[in-house]
Amino acid sequence: MATNVEREEQLIELIKESSSKLVVVDFYSKTCPPCRVADAIVNQLAMQYPNVAFYKVDIARFPDVSEKCQVSATPTLQFFRKGKMVDMIRGADKQAITKMVETHSTGDGTETAKAFGVVGHSDLTRLVLKKKSECLNQSDDNPLENVFTEGDSVLESDVDEQLVLHIAFNQPIKLHSLMIRAPADRAPKNIRLFANRMDIGFDDAEASEATQDIELTEDIYKNGGVVNLRYVRFQNVNSLSIYVADNLGDDDVTAIRQLAFIGTAVDTANVSDIRQGEDGHSH
């Protein structure tokens, strides 16, 4: 079972505890129905992962702590390692929460996170807001949602080979790499990336200055499809727009089988502020 935080000082202690193991903090409200779902998920994971410490914080009892941790909705789960928050998720998605625990608890906290061979970073695809994401010029039969599911389904362009993908995230991220898998003859070739530009259309995508331009090659796809980005340019990404200009086979239809986003969630919790709160307030 997860441990209820009964005093503000406990939060400081559990952050210190994260120096040796993964610590998961579930911020909840007693009046929030999804919080009861998250509570059951957390309690189940607590039994499955004895090497992980799970705690619960009632935001009504500790509003100052919740504010300093920038908790704007419940349930919010924050993941701490080595004294700082390394990830966060909002909502009660069991699959997403479980995957995040698996990712950050690997090797009992002694191994570095790795996603698609990129050491030190995680697969952030779970943070995509699918309902707020869209693709311009997609085939009705093979839409954007296919790139986020396992199997042989693909995203395909419709009237020509070009695509504009607008991907929204449920929190800011630091984007290190992209992973693209696609059929060899219809795989994207020249792409343009735009951070925080959900308004980009085809004309703008061609004329505007991109955050980064990338030419994808057969070798990149053969080696797993991972493309490292200019990390310094993708430090606070709430959305990513991807313009696909053409494909490797000069085909009229471009196809993408899988798309993943690799990096880290932006650390919105200020641990130093929490420590100051310990000294300045009593509960």
Side-chain angles (χ1 to χ4, degrees):
M1 297 285 289
T3 302
N4 277 295
V5 171
E6 300 294 340
R7 49 191 176 83
E8 188 170 331
E9 292 82 359
Q10 233 180 314
L11 189 63
I12 309 304
E13 294 168 2
L14 67 87
I15 290 174
K16 291 179 180 178
E17 185 180 0
S18 71
S19 63
S20 60
K21 64 171 65 175
L22 173 64
V23 173
V24 181
V25 183
D26 174 14
F27 291 88
Y28 73 97
S29 169
K30 292 181 179 178
T31 60
C32 162
C35 291
R36 292 191 284 272
V37 177
D39 180 61
I41 295 169
V42 167
N43 286 333
Q44 182 180 10
L45 290 172
M47 292 186 289
Q48 294 176 353
Y49 293 86
N51 60 318
V52 178
F54 292 87
Y55 292 90
K56 295 173 59 63
V57 175
D58 183 348
I59 64 168
R61 289 188 62 186
F62 301 103
D64 290 345
V65 170
S66 301
E67 182 178 357
K68 289 165 186 172
C69 290
Q70 298 188 15
V71 175
S72 59
T74 56
T76 292
L77 280 74
Q78 295 184 351
F79 296 71
F80 292 86
R81 287 278 296 273
K82 301 186 184 302
K84 70 174 185 177
M85 192 182 76
V86 296
D87 227 330
M88 178 174 68
I89 188 168
R90 297 185 179 96
D93 186 325
K94 182 176 181 180
Q95 183 177 0
I97 294 171
T98 302
K99 186 173 182 179
M100 198 172 287
V101 171
E102 290 174 350
T103 297
H104 293 295
S105 64
T106 302
D108 194 21
T110 60
E111 295 183 10
T112 304
K114 181 169 65 174
F116 301 103
V118 182
V119 177
H121 296 276
S122 302
D123 180 3
L124 302 180
T125 311
R126 64 184 179 276
L127 303 182
V128 171
L129 290 170
K130 297 176 183 177
K131 291 184 178 180
K132 292 186 177 182
S133 300
E134 63 174 351
C135 180
L136 307 183
N137 191 39
Q138 68 178 6
S139 164
D140 291 338
D141 295 329
N142 295 289
L144 175 63
E145 62 190 52
N146 287 347
V147 302
F148 303 123
T149 60
E150 296 182 0
D152 294 328
S153 59
V154 297
L155 161 67
E156 286 187 342
S157 62
D158 189 14
V159 299
D160 60 22
E161 74 279 9
Q162 296 184 340
L163 292 165
V164 173
L165 288 69
H166 293 303
I167 309 298
F169 301 97
N170 68 6
Q171 67 181 85
I173 65 170
K174 296 180 180 181
L175 188 60
H176 181 276
S177 313
L178 292 180
M179 193 286 296
I180 304 174
R181 290 175 179 160
D185 57 336
R186 295 181 292 156
K189 181 180 180 182
N190 291 290
I191 65 173
R192 311 193 78 203
L193 307 182
F194 299 86
N196 304 320
R197 286 292 309 274
M198 291 285 279
D199 59 330
I200 285 284
F202 286 103
D203 291 341
D204 293 331
E206 292 180 346
S208 301
E209 181 179 355
T211 310
Q212 185 171 347
D213 290 293
I214 299 172
E215 181 178 355
L216 300 165
T217 65
E218 290 184 11
D219 285 342
I220 289 174
Y221 287 110
K222 288 178 181 178
N223 290 309
V226 174
V227 183
N228 292 335
L229 307 182
R230 295 174 183 171
Y231 192 37
V232 68
R233 296 188 178 185
F234 297 88
Q235 290 295 293
N236 192 31
V237 178
N238 291 287
S239 67
L240 184 72
S241 295
I242 305 172
Y243 168 57
V244 179
D246 50 17
N247 56 67
L248 291 178
D250 292 324
D251 197 281
D252 291 336
V253 176
T254 297
I256 301 174
R257 178 166 289 121
Q258 185 181 2
L259 180 62
F261 306 92
I262 304 164
T264 57
V266 171
D267 185 358
T268 57
N270 191 324
V271 177
S272 63
D273 283 349
I274 296 172
R275 292 197 180 98
Q276 291 169 7
E278 179 191 17
D279 295 333
H281 301 277
S282 58
H283 294 275

